[in-house]
Amino acid sequence: MSTSLFERLEGFKQSDEDRYGFLRDLIEAYNKLEGELNTAKSDHLDQLNSRRLWQEKAQVAEARLRESHESAVSFATLDFRMLDLTDGDGYKFDESLIRQGAVGGGEAANRLLNNIKAYVQRYDGAVHWKIIVRVYANLEGLLKKYAYIGFHEEERALRQFVAGFTQSQPLFDFVDAGQGKERADHKIKEQLRLFVSNLQCKHLMLGVAHDNGYVPALDPYKTNMTTASRISLLQPIYAGREFQNLPFEIVQFDSIFRTEELPNDRPSYANEAKPAFAFRQPVLSTVVQNHKPAAPKDLVHRRPIYPGPVYLNKDDERVDEGLGSVTERAETGLEMRIRNGKLCNDFHLRGDCLNPRCPYAHEPSLEGEELVAFALKARQTHRPHFDQIGVSWIRETKVVGLDSGLKV
């Protein structure tokens, strides 16, 4: 019987051990599952937070996109679609319009507006476009040019013409860019860079084809046909050679701009009657080779070929005041300057040059004996002029006379 009790005791012991092992395994499994649950809960919370965060960001982005879209729609529906930029130094308005002053300016603006409207009819909705026109020019230079070539009526009326042009249309401006060759160029190039990528501007019309200096500013757009199709060029009197390689359309407007270049010289008075009266006690000497003075012949005074007194003797030879002598050093210095490039007579002898694209050297200004040597050299230039009798070759220069203002 004792053996049976021991066996039963062992059975209970084994049963307790099995129950203990079971409970231990159960607790371990519980702990493991609890850890996995906590991890899953943490991951779930992270996903919820992340989703909320990205949802908020998506809402902000959607709001910004909606605002951008509304802004773009509003921007695209504005009226401004066309910009015309014209270099008024190269595209000069017809003198028949300029002579009319403010009335002619208004007429020029209306003609230009009508021509542009007719040109842009190819675009959908162009009838509602607002058209901006800006003409940039060296106004003082134009006034001097008209005075220089004898267009005095145009000179007097130009400022009124500019005012009439600007006042006639609210989006038209004739802007005085100031003195200097590159003033108008600089403004037009910067305006081009500003508006060529502007969504409002559907088309750019440029009055710049007279000057090859604008080609580098247009080069970046010639290979992009979408942009190139939005640019056109006004037909100038003479187009620069480099513009032949550009793909932009050439547009010609009639009865607005000059079709011929302005003359380069002052007007001749050769066809006018010569006043014949004695000129008493001339203190003058003819200018001959090597600058040697010669005794003047009988003198008469007649209307000058260019404004300012020019004295001729009875043989139709020019007689000028002596300018004095110069040293060999001055002549050598002048020759060295000329070797580096021909000098501009108007700039060095008159003090100004009215040609905005003068090919001759200006700076540095000649002074002292070099200036005298240059004046003497200029007096030896032979130029023909026409009078009532015929062609007469005289020693004459348009810049060195008794009233030239040369101070030596």
Side-chain angles (χ1 to χ4, degrees):
M1 181 175 179
S2 58
T3 303
S4 176
L5 291 173
F6 277 112
E7 289 177 353
R8 292 178 65 185
L9 180 62
E10 287 295 328
F12 289 143
K13 180 180 179 181
Q14 183 63 43
S15 177
D16 290 339
E17 289 178 355
D18 292 341
R19 185 170 59 254
Y20 174 78
F22 172 74
L23 293 174
R24 182 184 60 196
D25 293 342
L26 185 62
I27 294 171
E28 289 178 354
Y30 173 79
N31 290 335
K32 180 180 179 181
L33 290 174
E34 187 179 33
E36 291 176 354
L37 177 61
N38 290 334
T39 301
K41 287 173 64 178
S42 178
D43 291 343
H44 179 64
L45 289 174
D46 287 344
Q47 290 183 4
L48 286 177
N49 292 334
S50 177
R51 182 160 97 47
R52 291 190 184 115
L53 175 63
W54 285 107
Q55 187 175 18
E56 291 175 359
K57 289 185 176 181
Q59 291 173 350
V60 172
E62 184 178 358
R64 289 179 178 175
L65 179 62
R66 185 167 53 252
E67 291 176 1
S68 298
H69 178 71
E70 292 173 355
S71 177
V73 171
S74 176
F75 191 70
T77 55
L78 292 176
D79 290 334
F80 161 51
R81 296 297 180 91
M82 168 77 187
L83 176 65
D84 176 284
L85 300 172
T86 299
D87 186 337
D89 292 334
Y91 290 73
K92 297 177 178 64
F93 286 92
D94 190 273
E95 58 267 25
S96 64
L97 295 171
I98 295 178
R99 292 192 196 106
Q100 300 177 51
V103 174
E107 177 63 22
N110 291 331
R111 290 184 189 180
L112 188 55
L113 178 62
N114 292 333
N115 277 271
I116 292 175
K117 284 184 175 180
Y119 172 75
V120 299
Q121 288 307 308
R122 65 183 71 183
Y123 296 98
D124 293 336
V127 67
H128 302 295
W129 285 9
K130 293 294 184 182
I131 298 171
I132 295 178
V133 174
R134 291 173 181 165
V135 180
Y136 296 97
N138 174 6
L139 194 57
E140 191 66 26
L142 287 176
L143 290 169
K144 289 182 178 180
K145 179 66 175 180
Y146 286 137
Y148 179 78
I149 62 177
F151 281 27
H152 300 300
E153 191 173 351
E154 289 82 349
E155 178 193 2
R156 289 189 294 269
L158 182 59
R159 293 191 184 277
Q160 289 75 23
F161 172 87
V162 169
F165 182 91
T166 301
Q167 294 168 1
S168 65
Q169 297 293 334
L171 297 179
F172 279 40
D173 295 298
F174 195 122
V175 182
D176 183 3
Q179 298 191 46
K181 176 183 176 183
E182 304 296 333
R183 298 295 185 184
D185 303 29
H186 176 68
K187 286 189 171 293
I188 290 177
K189 290 174 183 177
E190 290 303 314
Q191 294 275 347
L192 170 62
R193 294 188 186 100
L194 176 64
F195 286 102
V196 73
S197 58
N198 190 323
L199 294 177
Q200 283 181 278
C201 188
K202 294 297 184 182
H203 195 84
L204 274 165
M205 183 174 290
L206 306 174
V208 300
H210 65 292
D211 186 353
N212 287 326
Y214 286 100
V215 172
L218 291 168
D219 274 340
Y221 315 114
K222 67 180 181 182
T223 55
N224 185 332
M225 297 314 297
T226 301
T227 303
S229 64
R230 295 172 50 231
I231 299 175
S232 59
L233 302 174
L234 281 175
Q235 175 69 50
I237 299 175
Y238 300 109
R241 293 181 60 185
E242 297 183 25
F243 280 90
Q244 299 175 3
N245 300 322
L246 298 178
F248 311 120
E249 182 180 3
I250 303 294
V251 183
Q252 183 168 356
F253 293 160
D254 297 326
S255 304
I256 300 176
F257 302 103
R258 284 185 59 90
T259 56
E260 296 180 356
E261 292 283 3
L262 288 173
N264 290 322
D265 294 327
R266 293 177 176 174
S268 172
Y269 300 95
N271 292 327
E272 298 186 18
K274 303 179 186 178
F277 60 89
F279 183 79
R280 297 182 180 179
Q281 299 179 347
V283 186
L284 303 170
S285 62
T286 56
V287 177
V288 296
Q289 193 68 20
N290 298 328
H291 324 308
K292 295 179 180 179
K297 302 178 182 180
D298 296 335
L299 299 174
V300 294
H301 177 250
R302 72 177 188 181
R303 189 179 180 95
I305 300 170
Y306 298 99
V310 176
Y311 298 97
L312 306 174
N313 60 26
K314 67 179 182 179
D315 295 321
D316 225 10
E317 295 174 339
R318 175 161 173 164
V319 180
D320 291 312
E321 283 184 339
L323 293 176
S325 60
V326 295
T327 63
E328 183 178 350
R329 179 179 179 181
E331 290 182 343
T332 303
L334 176 64
E335 292 299 326
M336 293 294 291
R337 281 288 305 275
I338 294 176
R339 287 178 189 175
N340 295 328
K342 293 184 178 180
L343 304 180
C344 174
N345 283 12
D346 280 359
F347 179 82
H348 292 285
L349 299 179
R350 288 181 52 85
D352 63 346
C353 176
L354 302 180
N355 183 358
R357 311 192 189 284
C358 179
Y360 303 116
H362 289 181
E363 300 294 345
S365 301
L366 292 173
E367 296 180 354
E369 290 189 347
E370 285 189 359
L371 179 59
V372 176
F374 187 57
L376 291 170
K377 187 177 183 66
R379 282 188 175 181
Q380 298 178 46
T381 302
H382 285 71
R383 293 169 59 96
H385 79 279
F386 294 82
D387 56 20
Q388 292 180 337
I389 300 174
V391 180
S392 174
W393 288 84
I394 63 171
R395 294 188 180 277
E396 188 275 323
T397 171
K398 66 180 179 180
V399 293
V400 183
L402 295 179
D403 69 335
S404 66
L406 176 64
K407 300 184 184 302
V408 297

